[in-house]
Each structure stands twice: as structure tokens, then as C-alpha cells.
Amino acid sequence: MGANPLLGVFLHWLGGLASASFYVPYKKVRGWSWEIYWLAGGVVSWIVMPWLMASLLSQHLLAVLHEAPGSAMFWPFFFGLLWGFGGLTFGLTMRYLGLSLGMAVALGYTAVFGTLVPPIFHGQFGQLLTQRSGIIILVGVGICVLGILFAGAAGISKEKELPEQQKLASIEEFNLKLGLAVATFCGIMSSCFAFGLDAGTPIKELTLKYGTSTMWQGLPVLVVVLMGGFVTNFVWCMILSTRNKTFGEYLRIPEGAAETAAGEHPRLENAVDAASTEMAIEAKSLTGGKPSITVNYLFSALAGATWYMQFFFYTMGETQMGRYKFSSWTLHMASIIIFSTLWGVALKEWHGVSRRTKSLVYLTLLTLIGSTVIVGYGNYLAIHP
């Protein structure tokens, strides 16, 4: 089956929808600290689902991973590890630049680096500039970044309309120089996920030799990349649990624990998840009731499985983009923000804001949807010149 960029764009939209939605199940989690529910869901995200789906849909997974060159195992794992560090600094980006500006800067870096570094590394960038299809894809990447800036502008405009007390609280630690430095580090680290998927190309080639369908070739690579991400997140959650003395929450809900939904005060994880967690911050609680450890585990697992599906669809979409598959990262980032923004509209996040702010929201949607269409068209031209 040949590449089909139209199908690829649709699959990336599905991945964006999964990423924009994964925090919703966490809103059913009550009485747990962040590090508990994040790791409970993360075990499903980074360990259970990658192994399960790769075992079911690819051929001879263990043999493929055993025979893969050492470098093809090391670099995806290493980049997954670095991607995890993007999460450790994303909160600092928000602290020094504010939610909207911090997100715009970090997401911008993540989109640009995650998209353009792989073709530069492989010597494809010059080729892009000499072909019509390549130029169109680069224009689409630029429009995606413009859409991210519009999203940031919409958020800043909304923040300016906050009551004075909330406005002062949101900029209490504002530090432009330090914030930009941290956002640069965070954005580059978060884009390492794309580098890890690219570095796993030998694993993809090997699993195809074992008879895996082209559509599923990226699943064994996800096993390795997400193992690296698991290590970083696991260590950080252990540090927090030690500091906060919350290990007991894995076995029981603490007496007198707040019944507030965990997702009402989510911690921003990294630039890739930023848009969905912003949506969760604004969303109203979806449930009430007494905390239950069984419910907490079930909904944390559901959140983790939903998170994984973003990259399940990503690897599928990537197989449909032809020789310029690096553009998948732009499609992924644009799709996350599109569906997070639509979630925000559905949950009345923008209710009562000024006409100017609403215009920026609609401009964000139009620009980002346009960017996915343009990138998809560029890939189509590369296949059908």
C-alpha cells in the first residue's frame, strides 16, 4: 500500500484528539497527590500499552528488539529520557513567563526543532528548498508556528481581562530573560521525542523484515522511546513521593483527603502535553462523590491509555506521509492545539471574553487547520508531482 498523505493527516488529527483529551479521565481521580495519579497512569502510558499494542500488532517483537543494533536501542531510549526532562522544566517556564506566553514559546521551539532537526541531520533540508513540495511543507511549518503564536496571543489577551488581583498573581515571578532560557531548554528537550522516533528507523526496518505491516512499523520503536520517558518520570515521582511522604496513597486514600478532582489542579507536564493540561486547568469538575481507590486506578489507567493513543496514531500517520515523514511532528503539534482549543470552546473556557480575544481564538483554529492542510498537500505533491 502506497503512502496516502490525506489519510496521514486524518490519523494525526486522531492523535491530536487523544492528546487533547487524555487529562479528562484524571478529573475523576480524587484524594491522590499529583505524583501518585501521574505515575499510576504513566505505567499504562509508557509500559503497558506500548508492549501490549506492539505485541499484538507487530511480528516477533522480542526478536526484533534483541536483533536491533545497539545504537538503534540506545538513542531512542536516550531521547525518550531527555524528553522526560522537558517536563521537569515546563513548570518553570510557566512560572517565569506565565501560562500563555510560556506555552507559546515552549510549543514553538518544540514544533520547530522536532520538525526540522531530523531532515537537517539527514541532509534533506537543502533538498526541501529546491523542490516545490518541500517549500510548501516548510510554509506549512511556518504557518503552524504562527498559529501557536496566535494561541499565545489569545491566552495573553484573556489574562489581561482577569481581575487585577488574579493578574498580579499570574506575573508575580515574571522574568523574561530567565523564562526564555528555560523555555528554550524545555522546548528542545520536549522535541526529543521526535528525535527518538527518527533514531529508531533501524528497528522499523527490522520489524518490516519480520513481516510487520507497514502501518504498525513504528510500534516497536515506541516501546523503547517510552521506556526512556518512563525512567525520567518514575525517578521524579519517587523523589516527590519521598519529599511529600505520599507512598501510602498507592494502597489507600488518606483520611480526610480532599474530594477535589485531581484534574482541577493539574501539573503541566511538558510542551507536548501543554495544551491538554491547559484545557484541564480551565475545565469545570466533571464529577462529585467520595474518593475511591478503585475508581482512581481505573480512571488513571484510562487517562494513561488515552495518552498513549496519541503516539499510536502518530506512528500510523507517519507511515502515510512519504519521504517527508518528518513533517508528522508539525501535524501532531498543530492537531493537539486544535483539539485542545475546541475542548476549551466546548467547556466555555472562552465564555465572556472580549471580541478581540475570541477573534484570536478563531484565528488560531483557522491558522492551525490550514497548516495541517498545507503540510498534507506538500506531502501529496512529493508523491504525485
Coordinates of all heavy atoms in Angstrom, one line a residue, residues 74-166:
F74 N 19.8 2.3 21.9 CA 20.3 3.4 22.8 C 19.7 4.7 22.6 O 19.2 5.4 23.5 CB 21.9 3.4 22.8 CG 22.4 4.6 23.6 CD1 22.5 4.6 25.0 CD2 22.8 5.8 22.9 CE1 22.9 5.7 25.7 CE2 23.3 6.9 23.6 CZ 23.3 6.8 25.0
W75 N 19.8 5.2 21.3 CA 19.4 6.6 21.0 C 17.9 6.8 21.2 O 17.5 7.8 21.8 CB 19.8 7.0 19.6 CG 21.3 7.2 19.5 CD1 22.2 6.4 18.9 CD2 22.1 8.2 20.2 NE1 23.5 6.9 19.1 CE2 23.4 8.0 19.9 CE3 21.7 9.3 21.0 CZ2 24.4 8.8 20.4 CZ3 22.7 10.1 21.5 CH2 24.0 9.9 21.2
P76 N 17.0 5.9 20.8 CA 15.6 6.2 21.1 C 15.3 6.2 22.6 O 14.6 7.0 23.1 CB 14.9 5.0 20.4 CG 15.8 4.6 19.3 CD 17.1 4.8 19.8
F77 N 16.0 5.3 23.3 CA 15.8 5.3 24.8 C 16.4 6.6 25.4 O 15.7 7.3 26.2 CB 16.6 4.1 25.4 CG 16.6 4.1 26.9 CD1 15.5 3.6 27.6 CD2 17.6 4.7 27.6 CE1 15.5 3.6 29.0 CE2 17.6 4.7 29.0 CZ 16.5 4.1 29.7
F78 N 17.6 7.0 24.9 CA 18.2 8.3 25.4 C 17.3 9.5 25.1 O 17.2 10.4 26.0 CB 19.6 8.4 24.8 CG 20.3 9.6 25.2 CD1 20.8 9.8 26.5 CD2 20.5 10.7 24.3 CE1 21.5 10.9 26.9 CE2 21.2 11.8 24.7 CZ 21.7 11.9 26.0
F79 N 16.8 9.6 23.9 CA 16.0 10.7 23.6 C 14.7 10.7 24.3 O 14.1 11.8 24.7 CB 15.7 10.8 22.0 CG 16.9 11.3 21.2 CD1 17.4 10.5 20.2 CD2 17.5 12.5 21.5 CE1 18.5 11.0 19.4 CE2 18.6 13.0 20.8 CZ 19.1 12.2 19.8
G80 N 14.2 9.5 24.6 CA 13.0 9.4 25.5 C 13.3 9.9 26.9 O 12.5 10.6 27.5
L81 N 14.5 9.6 27.4 CA 14.9 10.1 28.7 C 15.0 11.6 28.7 O 14.5 12.3 29.6 CB 16.3 9.5 28.9 CG 16.8 9.4 30.4 CD1 16.0 8.3 31.1 CD2 18.3 9.1 30.4
L82 N 15.5 12.2 27.6 CA 15.6 13.7 27.5 C 14.3 14.3 27.4 O 14.0 15.4 27.9 CB 16.5 14.1 26.3 CG 18.0 13.7 26.4 CD1 18.7 14.2 25.1 CD2 18.6 14.3 27.6
W83 N 13.4 13.7 26.6 CA 12.0 14.2 26.5 C 11.4 14.3 27.9 O 10.7 15.3 28.2 CB 11.2 13.3 25.7 CG 9.7 13.5 25.8 CD1 8.9 14.5 25.3 CD2 8.8 12.6 26.6 NE1 7.6 14.3 25.7 CE2 7.5 13.2 26.4 CE3 8.9 11.5 27.3 CZ2 6.4 12.6 27.0 CZ3 7.8 10.9 27.9 CH2 6.6 11.5 27.8
G84 N 11.7 13.4 28.8 CA 11.2 13.5 30.2 C 11.7 14.7 30.9 O 11.0 15.3 31.7
F85 N 12.9 15.1 30.6 CA 13.5 16.3 31.3 C 12.7 17.6 30.8 O 12.7 18.6 31.5 CB 15.0 16.4 31.0 CG 15.8 15.6 31.8 CD1 16.4 14.4 31.4 CD2 16.1 15.9 33.2 CE1 17.2 13.6 32.2 CE2 16.8 15.1 34.0 CZ 17.4 14.0 33.5
G86 N 12.1 17.5 29.6 CA 11.3 18.7 29.2 C 10.2 18.9 30.1 O 9.8 20.1 30.4
G87 N 9.7 17.9 30.7 CA 8.6 18.0 31.7 C 9.0 18.6 33.0 O 8.3 19.4 33.6
L88 N 10.3 18.4 33.4 CA 10.8 18.9 34.7 C 11.0 20.4 34.6 O 11.0 21.0 35.7 CB 12.1 18.2 35.0 CG 12.1 16.7 35.1 CD1 13.4 16.1 35.7 CD2 10.9 16.2 36.1
T89 N 11.1 20.9 33.4 CA 11.4 22.4 33.3 C 10.2 23.2 32.8 O 10.2 24.4 32.8 CB 12.6 22.7 32.4 OG1 12.4 21.9 31.1 CG2 13.9 22.2 33.0
F90 N 9.1 22.4 32.4 CA 8.0 23.1 31.8 C 7.3 24.0 32.9 O 6.8 25.1 32.6 CB 7.0 22.2 31.2 CG 6.0 22.8 30.2 CD1 6.4 23.2 29.0 CD2 4.7 23.0 30.6 CE1 5.5 23.9 28.1 CE2 3.8 23.7 29.8 CZ 4.2 24.1 28.5
G91 N 7.2 23.5 34.1 CA 6.6 24.3 35.2 C 7.3 25.6 35.4 O 6.7 26.6 35.7
L92 N 8.7 25.5 35.3 CA 9.5 26.7 35.5 C 9.2 27.7 34.4 O 9.2 28.9 34.6 CB 11.0 26.4 35.5 CG 11.5 25.6 36.7 CD1 12.9 25.3 36.6 CD2 11.3 26.5 38.0
T93 N 9.0 27.2 33.2 CA 8.7 28.1 32.0 C 7.4 28.9 32.3 O 7.3 30.1 32.1 CB 8.5 27.3 30.7 OG1 9.7 26.5 30.5 CG2 8.2 28.2 29.6
M94 N 6.4 28.2 32.9 CA 5.1 28.8 33.2 C 5.3 29.9 34.3 O 4.7 30.9 34.3 CB 4.1 27.8 33.7 CG 3.8 26.7 32.7 SD 3.2 27.3 31.1 CE 4.7 27.1 30.1
R95 N 6.2 29.5 35.3 CA 6.4 30.4 36.4 C 7.0 31.7 36.0 O 6.7 32.8 36.5 CB 7.3 29.7 37.4 CG 7.5 30.6 38.7 CD 8.6 29.9 39.6 NE 8.2 28.6 40.0 CZ 9.0 27.8 40.7 NH1 10.2 28.2 41.1 NH2 8.5 26.6 41.0
Y96 N 8.0 31.7 35.1 CA 8.7 32.9 34.7 C 8.1 33.6 33.5 O 8.4 34.8 33.3 CB 10.2 32.5 34.4 CG 10.9 31.9 35.6 CD1 11.7 30.8 35.4 CD2 10.9 32.6 36.8 CE1 12.4 30.2 36.5 CE2 11.6 32.0 37.9 CZ 12.3 30.9 37.8 OH 13.0 30.4 38.8
L97 N 7.3 33.0 32.7 CA 6.7 33.7 31.5 C 5.2 33.8 31.6 O 4.6 34.5 30.8 CB 7.1 32.9 30.2 CG 8.6 33.0 29.8 CD1 8.8 32.3 28.5 CD2 9.1 34.4 29.7
G98 N 4.6 33.0 32.5 CA 3.2 33.0 32.6 C 2.7 31.9 31.7 O 3.4 31.4 30.8
L99 N 1.4 31.4 31.9 CA 0.9 30.3 31.2 C 0.8 30.5 29.7 O 1.4 29.6 29.0 CB -0.5 30.0 31.7 CG -1.3 28.8 31.1 CD1 -0.6 27.5 31.4 CD2 -2.7 28.7 31.6
S100 N 0.3 31.5 29.2 CA 0.1 31.7 27.8 C 1.3 31.9 27.0 O 1.6 31.3 26.0 CB -1.0 32.8 27.5 OG -2.2 32.5 28.1
L101 N 2.1 32.9 27.5 CA 3.4 33.2 26.8 C 4.3 32.0 26.9 O 5.0 31.7 25.9 CB 4.0 34.5 27.4 CG 5.4 34.9 26.8 CD1 5.3 35.2 25.3 CD2 5.9 36.1 27.5
G102 N 4.4 31.4 28.1 CA 5.3 30.3 28.3 C 4.9 29.1 27.4 O 5.8 28.5 26.8
M103 N 3.6 28.8 27.2 CA 3.2 27.8 26.3 C 3.6 28.1 24.9 O 4.0 27.2 24.1 CB 1.7 27.6 26.4 CG 1.3 26.7 27.6 SD -0.5 26.4 27.5 CE -0.7 25.7 25.9
A104 N 3.3 29.3 24.5 CA 3.6 29.7 23.1 C 5.1 29.5 22.7 O 5.4 29.0 21.7 CB 3.1 31.2 22.8
V105 N 5.9 30.0 23.6 CA 7.4 29.9 23.4 C 7.8 28.5 23.4 O 8.5 28.0 22.4 CB 8.2 30.7 24.4 CG1 9.7 30.5 24.3 CG2 7.8 32.2 24.3
A106 N 7.5 27.7 24.4 CA 7.9 26.3 24.5 C 7.3 25.5 23.3 O 8.1 24.7 22.7 CB 7.5 25.7 25.8
L107 N 6.1 25.6 23.0 CA 5.4 24.9 21.9 C 6.1 25.3 20.6 O 6.3 24.4 19.7 CB 3.9 25.2 21.9 CG 3.1 24.4 22.9 CD1 1.7 25.0 22.9 CD2 3.0 23.0 22.7
G108 N 6.4 26.6 20.4 CA 7.1 27.0 19.2 C 8.4 26.3 19.0 O 8.7 25.8 17.9
Y109 N 9.2 26.3 20.1 CA 10.5 25.6 20.0 C 10.3 24.1 19.7 O 11.0 23.5 18.9 CB 11.3 25.8 21.3 CG 12.1 27.0 21.4 CD1 11.8 28.0 22.4 CD2 13.2 27.3 20.5 CE1 12.6 29.2 22.4 CE2 13.9 28.4 20.6 CZ 13.6 29.4 21.6 OH 14.4 30.5 21.7
T110 N 9.4 23.5 20.4 CA 9.1 22.1 20.2 C 8.7 21.7 18.8 O 9.2 20.8 18.2 CB 8.0 21.6 21.2 OG1 8.4 21.9 22.5 CG2 7.8 20.1 21.1
A111 N 7.8 22.6 18.2 CA 7.3 22.3 16.9 C 8.5 22.5 15.8 O 8.7 21.6 15.0 CB 6.2 23.3 16.5
V112 N 9.3 23.6 16.0 CA 10.3 23.8 15.0 C 11.5 22.8 15.1 O 11.9 22.2 14.1 CB 10.9 25.3 15.2 CG1 12.1 25.5 14.4 CG2 9.8 26.3 14.8
F113 N 12.0 22.6 16.3 CA 13.1 21.7 16.5 C 12.7 20.2 16.1 O 13.4 19.5 15.5 CB 13.7 21.7 17.9 CG 14.6 22.9 18.1 CD1 14.2 24.1 18.4 CD2 16.0 22.7 18.0 CE1 15.1 25.2 18.5 CE2 16.9 23.7 18.1 CZ 16.5 25.0 18.4
G114 N 11.5 19.8 16.6 CA 11.0 18.5 16.4 C 10.8 18.2 14.9 O 11.0 17.0 14.5
T115 N 10.4 19.2 14.2 CA 10.2 19.0 12.7 C 11.4 19.1 11.9 O 11.7 18.3 11.0 CB 9.2 20.1 12.2 OG1 8.0 19.9 13.0 CG2 8.9 19.9 10.8
L116 N 12.3 20.1 12.2 CA 13.4 20.5 11.2 C 14.7 19.8 11.6 O 15.5 19.6 10.7 CB 13.6 22.0 11.2 CG 12.3 22.8 10.7 CD1 12.7 24.2 10.6 CD2 11.9 22.3 9.3
V117 N 15.0 19.4 12.8 CA 16.3 18.8 13.1 C 16.5 17.5 12.4 O 17.6 17.3 11.8 CB 16.4 18.7 14.6 CG1 17.6 17.8 15.0 CG2 16.6 20.1 15.3
P118 N 15.5 16.6 12.4 CA 15.7 15.3 11.7 C 16.1 15.5 10.2 O 17.1 14.9 9.8 CB 14.4 14.6 11.8 CG 13.9 15.1 13.1 CD 14.2 16.5 13.1
P119 N 15.4 16.3 9.4 CA 15.9 16.5 8.0 C 17.2 17.2 7.9 O 18.0 16.8 6.9 CB 14.8 17.3 7.3 CG 14.1 18.0 8.4 CD 14.1 17.0 9.6
I120 N 17.5 18.1 8.8 CA 18.8 18.7 8.7 C 19.9 17.7 9.0 O 21.0 17.6 8.4 CB 18.9 19.9 9.8 CG1 18.0 21.0 9.3 CG2 20.3 20.4 10.0 CD1 17.9 22.1 10.3
F121 N 19.7 16.8 10.0 CA 20.6 15.8 10.4 C 20.8 14.8 9.3 O 22.0 14.3 9.1 CB 20.1 15.0 11.7 CG 21.0 13.9 12.1 CD1 22.1 14.2 12.9 CD2 20.6 12.6 11.8 CE1 22.9 13.1 13.3 CE2 21.4 11.5 12.2 CZ 22.6 11.8 13.0
H122 N 19.8 14.5 8.5 CA 19.9 13.5 7.4 C 20.3 14.2 6.1 O 20.3 13.5 5.1 CB 18.6 12.8 7.3 CG 18.2 11.9 8.4 ND1 19.0 10.8 8.8 CD2 17.2 11.9 9.3 CE1 18.5 10.2 9.9 NE2 17.4 10.9 10.2
G123 N 20.6 15.5 6.1 CA 21.0 16.2 4.9 C 19.9 16.4 3.9 O 20.1 16.6 2.7
Q124 N 18.6 16.4 4.4 CA 17.5 16.6 3.5 C 17.0 18.1 3.3 O 16.3 18.4 2.4 CB 16.3 15.8 4.0 CG 16.3 14.3 3.8 CD 15.0 13.7 4.3 OE1 14.7 13.7 5.5 NE2 14.2 13.1 3.4
F125 N 17.5 18.9 4.2 CA 17.0 20.3 4.3 C 17.2 21.0 3.0 O 16.3 21.7 2.5 CB 17.6 21.0 5.5 CG 16.8 22.3 5.8 CD1 15.6 22.3 6.4 CD2 17.4 23.5 5.4 CE1 14.9 23.5 6.6 CE2 16.7 24.7 5.6 CZ 15.4 24.7 6.3
G126 N 18.4 20.9 2.4 CA 18.7 21.6 1.2 C 17.8 21.1 0.0 O 17.4 21.9 -0.8
Q127 N 17.5 19.8 0.1 CA 16.6 19.3 -0.9 C 15.2 19.9 -0.8 O 14.6 20.1 -1.9 CB 16.6 17.7 -0.7 CG 15.8 17.0 -1.7 CD 15.7 15.5 -1.4 OE1 15.8 15.1 -0.3 NE2 15.6 14.7 -2.4
L128 N 14.8 20.1 0.4 CA 13.5 20.8 0.6 C 13.4 22.1 -0.1 O 12.3 22.4 -0.7 CB 13.2 21.0 2.1 CG 12.9 19.7 2.9 CD1 12.9 20.1 4.4 CD2 11.6 19.2 2.5
L129 N 14.5 22.9 0.0 CA 14.5 24.2 -0.6 C 14.5 24.3 -2.1 O 14.2 25.3 -2.7 CB 15.7 25.0 0.0 CG 15.7 25.2 1.5 CD1 17.0 25.9 1.9 CD2 14.5 26.0 1.9
T130 N 14.8 23.1 -2.7 CA 14.9 23.1 -4.2 C 13.6 22.5 -4.9 O 13.6 22.4 -6.1 CB 16.1 22.3 -4.6 OG1 16.0 20.9 -4.2 CG2 17.4 22.9 -4.1
Q131 N 12.7 22.0 -4.1 CA 11.5 21.3 -4.6 C 10.3 22.1 -4.2 O 10.1 22.5 -3.0 CB 11.5 19.9 -4.2 CG 12.7 19.1 -4.7 CD 12.6 17.6 -4.4 OE1 11.6 17.2 -3.8 NE2 13.6 16.9 -4.7
R132 N 9.3 22.1 -5.1 CA 8.1 22.8 -4.7 C 7.4 22.2 -3.5 O 6.9 22.9 -2.6 CB 7.1 22.8 -6.0 CG 5.8 23.6 -5.8 CD 4.9 23.4 -7.0 NE 3.6 24.0 -6.7 CZ 2.5 23.6 -7.4 NH1 2.6 22.6 -8.2 NH2 1.4 24.1 -7.1
S133 N 7.3 20.9 -3.5 CA 6.7 20.2 -2.4 C 7.3 20.5 -1.1 O 6.7 20.7 0.0 CB 6.7 18.7 -2.6 OG 8.0 18.2 -2.8
G134 N 8.7 20.5 -1.1 CA 9.4 20.8 0.1 C 9.2 22.2 0.6 O 9.0 22.5 1.8
I135 N 9.1 23.2 -0.3 CA 8.9 24.6 0.1 C 7.5 24.7 0.7 O 7.3 25.4 1.7 CB 9.0 25.5 -1.1 CG1 10.5 25.6 -1.6 CG2 8.5 26.9 -0.8 CD1 10.8 26.3 -2.9
I136 N 6.5 24.0 0.1 CA 5.1 24.1 0.6 C 5.1 23.5 2.0 O 4.4 24.1 2.9 CB 4.2 23.3 -0.3 CG1 4.0 24.1 -1.6 CG2 2.8 23.1 0.3 CD1 3.2 23.4 -2.7
I137 N 5.8 22.4 2.3 CA 5.8 21.9 3.6 C 6.4 22.8 4.6 O 5.9 23.0 5.7 CB 6.6 20.5 3.6 CG1 5.8 19.5 2.9 CG2 6.9 20.1 5.0 CD1 6.5 18.2 2.7
L138 N 7.5 23.5 4.2 CA 8.2 24.5 5.1 C 7.2 25.7 5.4 O 7.2 26.2 6.5 CB 9.5 25.0 4.5 CG 10.6 23.9 4.5 CD1 11.8 24.5 3.8 CD2 11.0 23.5 5.9
V139 N 6.5 26.1 4.4 CA 5.5 27.1 4.6 C 4.4 26.7 5.6 O 4.0 27.4 6.5 CB 4.8 27.5 3.2 CG1 3.6 28.4 3.5 CG2 5.8 28.2 2.3
G140 N 4.0 25.4 5.5 CA 3.0 24.8 6.4 C 3.6 24.8 7.8 O 2.9 25.1 8.8
V141 N 4.9 24.5 8.0 CA 5.5 24.5 9.3 C 5.5 26.0 9.9 O 5.2 26.2 11.0 CB 7.0 24.0 9.2 CG1 7.7 24.2 10.6 CG2 7.0 22.5 8.8
G142 N 5.8 26.9 9.0 CA 5.8 28.3 9.4 C 4.5 28.8 9.9 O 4.3 29.5 10.9
I143 N 3.4 28.4 9.1 CA 2.1 28.7 9.5 C 1.6 28.1 10.8 O 0.9 28.7 11.6 CB 1.1 28.4 8.3 CG1 1.4 29.3 7.1 CG2 -0.4 28.5 8.8 CD1 0.6 28.9 5.9
C144 N 2.1 26.9 11.0 CA 1.8 26.2 12.3 C 2.4 27.0 13.5 O 1.7 27.2 14.5 CB 2.4 24.8 12.3 SG 2.3 23.9 13.9
V145 N 3.7 27.5 13.3 CA 4.3 28.3 14.4 C 3.5 29.6 14.5 O 3.3 30.1 15.7 CB 5.7 28.6 14.0 CG1 6.3 29.6 15.0 CG2 6.6 27.3 14.0
L146 N 3.0 30.2 13.4 CA 2.2 31.4 13.5 C 0.9 31.1 14.3 O 0.5 31.9 15.1 CB 1.8 31.9 12.1 CG 1.0 33.2 12.0 CD1 1.8 34.3 12.6 CD2 0.7 33.5 10.5
G147 N 0.3 29.9 14.1 CA -0.9 29.5 14.8 C -0.6 29.4 16.3 O -1.5 29.8 17.1
I148 N 0.5 28.9 16.6 CA 0.9 28.7 18.0 C 1.1 30.1 18.7 O 0.6 30.4 19.8 CB 2.2 27.9 18.2 CG1 2.0 26.5 17.8 CG2 2.8 28.0 19.6 CD1 3.3 25.7 17.7
L149 N 1.6 31.1 17.9 CA 1.7 32.4 18.4 C 0.4 33.1 18.6 O 0.1 33.8 19.6 CB 2.6 33.3 17.4 CG 4.1 32.9 17.3 CD1 4.8 33.7 16.3 CD2 4.8 33.0 18.7
F150 N -0.6 32.8 17.7 CA -1.9 33.3 17.8 C -2.6 32.7 19.1 O -3.3 33.4 19.8 CB -2.8 33.0 16.6 CG -2.5 33.8 15.4 CD1 -2.5 33.3 14.1 CD2 -2.3 35.2 15.6 CE1 -2.3 34.1 13.0 CE2 -2.1 36.0 14.5 CZ -2.1 35.4 13.2
A151 N -2.3 31.4 19.4 CA -2.8 30.8 20.6 C -2.3 31.5 21.8 O -3.0 31.7 22.8 CB -2.5 29.3 20.6
G152 N -1.0 31.8 21.8 CA -0.4 32.5 22.9 C -1.0 33.9 23.1 O -1.3 34.3 24.2
A153 N -1.2 34.6 21.9 CA -1.8 35.9 22.0 C -3.2 35.9 22.5 O -3.6 36.8 23.3 CB -1.8 36.5 20.6
A154 N -4.0 34.9 22.2 CA -5.3 34.7 22.7 C -5.3 34.5 24.2 O -6.1 35.1 25.0 CB -6.0 33.5 22.1
G155 N -4.4 33.7 24.7 CA -4.2 33.5 26.1 C -3.8 34.7 26.9 O -4.3 35.1 27.9
I156 N -2.9 35.5 26.3 CA -2.4 36.7 26.9 C -3.5 37.7 27.0 O -3.7 38.5 28.0 CB -1.2 37.3 26.2 CG1 0.0 36.3 26.4 CG2 -0.8 38.7 26.7 CD1 1.2 36.6 25.5
S157 N -4.3 37.8 25.9 CA -5.4 38.8 25.8 C -6.4 38.4 26.9 O -7.0 39.3 27.6 CB -6.1 38.7 24.4 OG -7.2 39.6 24.4
K158 N -6.7 37.1 27.1 CA -7.6 36.7 28.1 C -7.1 37.0 29.5 O -7.9 37.5 30.4 CB -7.9 35.2 28.0 CG -8.9 34.6 29.0 CD -9.0 33.1 28.9 CE -9.9 32.6 30.0 NZ -9.9 31.1 30.0
E159 N -5.8 36.8 29.7 CA -5.2 37.1 31.0 C -5.3 38.6 31.4 O -5.5 38.9 32.5 CB -3.7 36.6 31.0 CG -3.6 35.1 31.1 CD -2.1 34.7 30.9 OE1 -1.3 35.6 30.8 OE2 -1.9 33.5 31.0
K160 N -5.2 39.4 30.4 CA -5.3 40.9 30.6 C -6.7 41.3 31.1 O -6.9 42.3 31.7 CB -5.0 41.7 29.3 CG -3.5 41.6 29.0 CD -3.2 42.4 27.8 CE -1.7 42.5 27.5 NZ -1.4 43.2 26.2
E161 N -7.7 40.4 30.8 CA -9.1 40.7 31.1 C -9.4 40.1 32.5 O -10.6 40.3 33.0 CB -10.0 40.1 30.1 CG -9.9 40.8 28.7 CD -10.6 40.0 27.6 OE1 -11.5 39.2 27.9 OE2 -10.2 40.2 26.4
L162 N -8.4 39.5 33.2 CA -8.7 38.9 34.5 C -8.8 40.1 35.5 O -8.3 41.2 35.3 CB -7.5 38.0 34.9 CG -7.4 36.7 34.2 CD1 -6.0 36.0 34.6 CD2 -8.5 35.8 34.5
P163 N -9.4 39.8 36.7 CA -9.4 40.8 37.7 C -8.0 41.2 38.1 O -7.1 40.3 38.0 CB -10.2 40.1 38.9 CG -11.0 39.1 38.2 CD -10.3 38.7 37.0
E164 N -7.8 42.4 38.6 CA -6.4 42.9 38.9 C -5.7 41.9 39.9 O -4.5 41.7 39.7 CB -6.5 44.3 39.5 CG -5.2 45.0 39.5 CD -4.7 45.3 38.1 OE1 -5.5 45.4 37.1 OE2 -3.4 45.3 37.9
Q165 N -6.3 41.4 40.9 CA -5.7 40.5 41.8 C -5.1 39.3 41.2 O -4.0 38.9 41.4 CB -6.6 40.2 42.9 CG -6.0 39.5 44.1 CD -6.9 39.2 45.3 OE1 -8.1 39.6 45.2 NE2 -6.5 38.6 46.3
Q166 N -5.9 38.6 40.3 CA -5.5 37.4 39.6 C -4.4 37.8 38.6 O -3.4 37.0 38.5 CB -6.7 36.8 38.8 CG -7.7 36.1 39.7 CD -8.8 35.5 38.9 OE1 -9.9 36.0 38.8 NE2 -8.5 34.4 38.2

